[in-house]
Amino acid sequence: MTPLLEVRGLTKSYGRSLGCAEVSFDLWPGEVMGIVGESGSGKSTLLNCLAGLLEPDAGEVIFDTRADGPRDVLRMGEPERRWLARTDWAFVRQNPRDGLRMGVSAGANVGERLMAVGARHYGDIRARATDWLRRVEIDPARIDDRPRTFSGGMQQRLQIARNLVTGPRLVFMDEPTGGLDVSVQARLLDLLRGLVRDMGLSAVVVTHDLAVVRLLAHRIMVMKDGRVVEEGLTDQVLDDPRHPYTQLLVSSVLQV
Amino acid sequence: MTDYNFAYLDEDTKRMIRRAILKALAVPGYQVPFASREMPMPYGWGTGGVQVSAAILTPEDVMKVIDQGADDTTNAVSIRRFFEKTAGVATTTRTAEATVIQTRHRIPETPLREGQVLVYQVPIPEPLRFLEPRETETRRMHALEDYGLMHVKLYEDIARHGRIATSYAYPVKVEGRYVMDPSPIPKFDNPRLKSEAIQLFGAGREQRIYALPPHCRVESLDFEDHPFEASKADHPCALCGATGSYLDEVITDDAGGRMFVCSDTDFCATRRGEAA
């Protein structure tokens, strides 16, 4: 079996300050990788480099494409990378306003990726949008409403539907539960877990919330100052942290 | 005529515009940037069209100017006078006799033939503008043929109105490649964008020129289950009786009286002349 994503020596710095340095890992099909660390530790830089939104200074990101097998996405042309980004990849942002088109209806938001890959049958697009709204627990009667009339949790679920509608194999998530209250967070995590399992998705989830990785991720990487300080199975790392920073992180979680 | 350079613009400017036109003809539907000049009229009154016309006019040309199909409205009359004064070319209102036709918002009803040039005045050349405000991003989308967004707009139309409600400036795909805004012509005119004549589009404020060479393939965007329809008011012309021409609705009194007449005044007058 080949890994879905192979990352080798990924390095990105912003002038003198370091974004992330020499990050390497493999992501296998169906696996969810959690990246944790405090603010400024390079998590988001890493995620943006992986998704082709930022150009790293060095390293390779090799994705197992459907057509040609493993390819370095950093050396692909932009048309090809954009095609990947709207078919096999998905990017769920922390703020749904960044990931949604606020000016058009929920149905158009879900349908956009379908139309971008060539769907030209209005009835089909609408049927699939309806189906996806139902799957993310949004009342299909609201298909023609604009996202700005939705609550924060609904917007986040709409963003997930919009991203998963083309059946991607790899999902990047940047703090998917950030800014939501805890009960909404719990429902969203439950939903995400179900979707990841049912669709056999691989995912890279960036978060500072250890509860999120505990529930979603199979493996985690702990980052500090742009470097990976510890890596392993989620339960192993969280129950028996080795690195002093991980120990600090785990012990900082409030117990209620 | 000694007061002006032929056709108002200086020769270097004309050369610059001609180069843009040649490039636009070579890449149908692609918006070529050009250094638009200040013209003696406000933006929005056809500064782009006037510059394109000035760059292609020769002393032998016969010019016609229409605004919404009519030869006798302010915009058409003043631009026609402008070229009479600055280029001394012959002018006409007869579509068949003209070699250069500058237009705003219509394609003449009489089919154009080889050797004629139709120059459009374009307010906003970018079909993606209202969906994506960043110019850097829209240019990239054109380069990468990333046109999913265009259908999002049509989707929204159907979701809200039950049909594609866009009735003018209806987006087209040119030669299977570039998505283009045909300027605010009614969608009735879209099928007639495939023509024997050369069609040039000038946007003065936005500084873009684009073109359709003769016989160029032009498809209106649509959905399989909501196909494109070239619609018009379902009436015959009240003056000439034509049933296949695009009509203007004219309010005749304040008691609900109205009539539908051809928007192309030359077409209508010619038909009435023949009937009489």
Side-chain angles (χ1 to χ4, degrees), chain A residues 1 8 64 69 71-72 82 85 102 108 136-137 176 178 187 191 202 217:
Chain A
M1 195 157 87
R8 295 283 171 267
D64 186 18
R71 298 269 313 273
D72 187 347
R82 280 207 176 195
M102 300 305 284
V136 296
E137 297 165 18
R187 267 178 70 198
L191 175 77
S202 303

Side-chain angles (χ1 to χ4, degrees), chain B residues 166-275:
Chain B
T166 304
S167 56
Y168 63 95
Y170 193 102
V172 294
K173 196 164 204 179
V174 180
E175 284 290 322
R177 178 59 181 85
Y178 285 100
V179 166
M180 187 190 95
D181 183 336
S183 88
I185 57 171
K187 66 177 173 182
F188 173 82
D189 282 342
N190 269 22
R192 299 188 301 127
L193 285 164
K194 189 177 186 305
S195 166
E196 283 179 30
I198 293 175
Q199 298 172 84
L200 305 174
F201 298 76
R205 180 182 46 208
E206 305 288 326
Q207 315 198 321
R208 295 288 183 277
I209 286 172
Y210 51 103
L212 295 173
H215 306 288
C216 191
R217 185 155 56 92
V218 182
E219 294 145 321
S220 303
L221 301 180
D222 60 1
F223 286 102
E224 288 159 18
D225 47 348
H226 286 266
F228 171 80
E229 222 178 317
S231 58
K232 66 180 270 286
D234 190 18
H235 290 273
C237 171
L239 300 177
C240 75
T243 52
S245 66
Y246 189 75
L247 302 175
D248 283 342
E249 183 179 2
V250 182
I251 309 290
T252 50
D253 54 37
D254 58 0
R258 63 191 58 196
M259 63 194 282
F260 290 89
V261 296
C262 289
S263 94
D264 186 336
T265 50
D266 167 59
F267 176 77
C268 197
T270 308
R271 277 178 54 87
R272 274 179 289 153
E274 279 165 7

Side-chain angles (χ1 to χ4, degrees), chain A residues 45-102:
Chain A
T45 300
L46 174 62
L47 196 70
N48 285 325
C49 286
L50 293 178
L53 303 175
L54 266 182
E55 197 180 344
D57 302 326
E60 291 178 335
V61 177
I62 298 162
F63 179 73
D64 186 18
T65 58
R66 281 183 217 234
D68 314 312
R71 298 269 313 273
D72 187 347
V73 294
L74 301 174
R75 275 163 197 78
M76 277 181 185
E78 198 175 350
E80 229 178 331
R81 200 158 52 218
R82 280 207 176 195
W83 181 259
L84 265 187
R86 55 187 193 236
T87 52
D88 264 354
W89 291 0
F91 201 114
V92 178
R93 290 165 196 279
Q94 173 174 8
N95 187 346
R97 283 166 185 273
D98 296 336
L100 290 172
R101 240 173 243 293
M102 300 305 284

Side-chain angles (χ1 to χ4, degrees), chain A residues 78-79 82 86 101 103-105 107-108 111-112 115-116 119-126 129 143-144 146, chain B residues 131-132 137 140-141 143-149 151-152 154-156 158-160 173 222-226:
Chain A
E78 198 175 350
R82 280 207 176 195
R86 55 187 193 236
R101 240 173 243 293
V104 299
S105 68
E112 180 177 346
M115 293 183 256
R120 292 291 178 265
H121 192 284
Y122 176 80
D124 288 352
I125 293 166
R126 205 166 165 82
I143 190 168
D144 292 330
R146 301 212 171 168
Chain B
L131 302 156
E132 175 54 68
E137 185 59 21
R140 181 164 290 186
M141 289 162 81
L144 299 174
E145 266 186 275
D146 194 353
Y147 290 134
L149 208 49
H151 274 86
V152 170
L154 300 180
Y155 172 97
E156 279 291 279
I158 304 175
R160 224 175 298 158
K173 196 164 204 179
D222 60 1
F223 286 102
E224 288 159 18
D225 47 348
H226 286 266

Side-chain angles (χ1 to χ4, degrees), chain B residues 20-264:
Chain B
I21 292 172
L22 287 175
K23 182 170 178 181
L25 282 165
V27 193
Y30 172 71
Q31 299 167 45
V32 183
F34 80 111
S36 179
R37 296 291 189 251
E38 293 266 338
M39 297 303 283
M41 57 175 73
Y43 287 125
W45 282 65
T47 52
V50 165
Q51 287 178 78
V52 170
S53 295
I56 60 168
L57 273 182
T58 64
E60 295 76 40
D61 272 319
V62 180
M63 184 149 189
K64 169 182 164 81
V65 184
I66 51 174
D67 169 9
Q68 304 268 15
D71 290 279
D72 51 5
T73 52
T74 317
N75 195 223
V77 170
S78 55
I79 291 175
R80 188 163 59 232
R81 281 221 194 108
F82 174 79
F83 281 114
E84 279 169 0
K85 195 167 174 185
T86 62
V89 293
T91 55
T92 180
T93 57
R94 309 295 292 264
T95 302
E97 288 166 15
T99 53
V100 175
I101 304 172
Q102 182 170 330
T103 177
R104 171 175 177 266
H105 300 192
R106 268 316 304 276
I107 297 175
E109 300 287 348
T110 314
L112 300 179
R113 53 182 164 67
E114 199 180 319
Q116 289 183 306
V117 183
L118 186 60
V119 178
Y120 295 78
Q121 304 171 192
V122 181
I124 295 164
E126 179 52 71
L128 301 162
R129 178 59 69 238
F130 291 107
L131 302 156
E132 175 54 68
R134 289 168 295 178
E135 175 69 14
T136 47
E137 185 59 21
T138 52
R139 289 176 90 160
R140 181 164 290 186
M141 289 162 81
H142 281 293
L144 299 174
E145 266 186 275
D146 194 353
Y147 290 134
L149 208 49
M150 213 63 246
H151 274 86
V152 170
K153 179 175 187 283
L154 300 180
Y155 172 97
E156 279 291 279
D157 259 15
I158 304 175
R160 224 175 298 158
H161 307 287
R163 66 197 160 79
I164 299 177
T166 304
S167 56
Y168 63 95
Y170 193 102
V172 294
K173 196 164 204 179
V174 180
E175 284 290 322
R177 178 59 181 85
Y178 285 100
V179 166
M180 187 190 95
D181 183 336
S183 88
I185 57 171
K187 66 177 173 182
F188 173 82
D189 282 342
N190 269 22
R192 299 188 301 127
L193 285 164
K194 189 177 186 305
S195 166
E196 283 179 30
I198 293 175
Q199 298 172 84
L200 305 174
F201 298 76
R205 180 182 46 208
E206 305 288 326
Q207 315 198 321
R208 295 288 183 277
I209 286 172
Y210 51 103
L212 295 173
H215 306 288
C216 191
R217 185 155 56 92
V218 182
E219 294 145 321
S220 303
L221 301 180
D222 60 1
F223 286 102
E224 288 159 18
D225 47 348
H226 286 266
F228 171 80
E229 222 178 317
S231 58
K232 66 180 270 286
D234 190 18
H235 290 273
C237 171
L239 300 177
C240 75
T243 52
S245 66
Y246 189 75
L247 302 175
D248 283 342
E249 183 179 2
V250 182
I251 309 290
T252 50
D253 54 37
D254 58 0
R258 63 191 58 196
M259 63 194 282
F260 290 89
V261 296
C262 289
S263 94
D264 186 336

Side-chain angles (χ1 to χ4, degrees), chain A:
Chain A
M1 195 157 87
T2 41
L4 188 67
L5 194 70
E6 277 178 75
V7 181
R8 295 283 171 267
L10 206 65
T11 302
K12 167 79 186 171
S13 53
Y14 301 98
R16 277 213 191 131
S17 64
L18 190 65
C20 61
E22 286 162 54
V23 179
S24 301
F25 67 91
D26 289 340
L27 183 74
W28 299 85
E31 189 180 36
V32 178
M33 167 78 91
I35 301 175
V36 296
E38 61 193 357
S39 301
S41 60
K43 306 180 304 266
S44 297
T45 300
L46 174 62
L47 196 70
N48 285 325
C49 286
L50 293 178
L53 303 175
L54 266 182
E55 197 180 344
D57 302 326
E60 291 178 335
V61 177
I62 298 162
F63 179 73
D64 186 18
T65 58
R66 281 183 217 234
D68 314 312
R71 298 269 313 273
D72 187 347
V73 294
L74 301 174
R75 275 163 197 78
M76 277 181 185
E78 198 175 350
E80 229 178 331
R81 200 158 52 218
R82 280 207 176 195
W83 181 259
L84 265 187
R86 55 187 193 236
T87 52
D88 264 354
W89 291 0
F91 201 114
V92 178
R93 290 165 196 279
Q94 173 174 8
N95 187 346
R97 283 166 185 273
D98 296 336
L100 290 172
R101 240 173 243 293
M102 300 305 284
V104 299
S105 68
N109 265 292
V110 180
E112 180 177 346
R113 273 170 78 109
L114 293 172
M115 293 183 256
V117 299
R120 292 291 178 265
H121 192 284
Y122 176 80
D124 288 352
I125 293 166
R126 205 166 165 82
R128 286 183 66 181
T130 310
D131 178 46
W132 264 100
L133 289 182
R134 203 174 282 129
R135 285 174 78 167
V136 296
E137 297 165 18
I138 295 174
D139 181 1
R142 302 204 58 181
I143 190 168
D144 292 330
D145 293 351
R146 301 212 171 168
R148 67 174 89 254
T149 66
F150 288 12
S151 69
M154 279 171 80
Q155 286 181 355
Q156 195 56 290
R157 278 178 278 144
L158 181 63
Q159 192 193 179
I160 289 164
R162 165 183 163 88
N163 272 286
L164 297 188
V165 67
T166 48
R169 293 187 295 157
L170 176 58
V171 186
F172 301 105
M173 292 187 231
D174 190 1
E175 307 272 8
T177 58
L180 301 176
D181 71 55
V182 279
S183 61
V184 176
Q185 267 189 31
R187 267 178 70 198
L188 187 74
L189 282 174
D190 199 38
L191 175 77
L192 274 175
R193 204 151 59 146
L195 288 171
V196 164
R197 195 181 48 231
D198 296 346
M199 298 176 72
L201 295 174
S202 303
V204 180
V205 185
V206 159
T207 181
H208 57 249
D209 187 343
L210 291 181
V212 171
V213 285
R214 174 78 88 172
L215 280 168
L216 274 181
H218 303 121
R219 275 197 302 150
I220 68 172
M221 288 196 321
V222 183
M223 289 186 74
K224 180 170 167 44
D225 300 330
R227 292 176 193 277
V228 177
V229 293
E230 189 162 357
E231 188 187 346
L233 296 175
T234 306
D235 292 346
Q236 213 170 32
V237 173
L238 293 183
D239 294 342
D240 183 17
R242 298 290 165 91
H243 191 275
Y245 174 70
T246 320
Q247 292 170 354
L248 178 71
L249 200 69
V250 171
S251 62
S252 313
V253 177
L254 278 178
Q255 303 293 330
V256 206

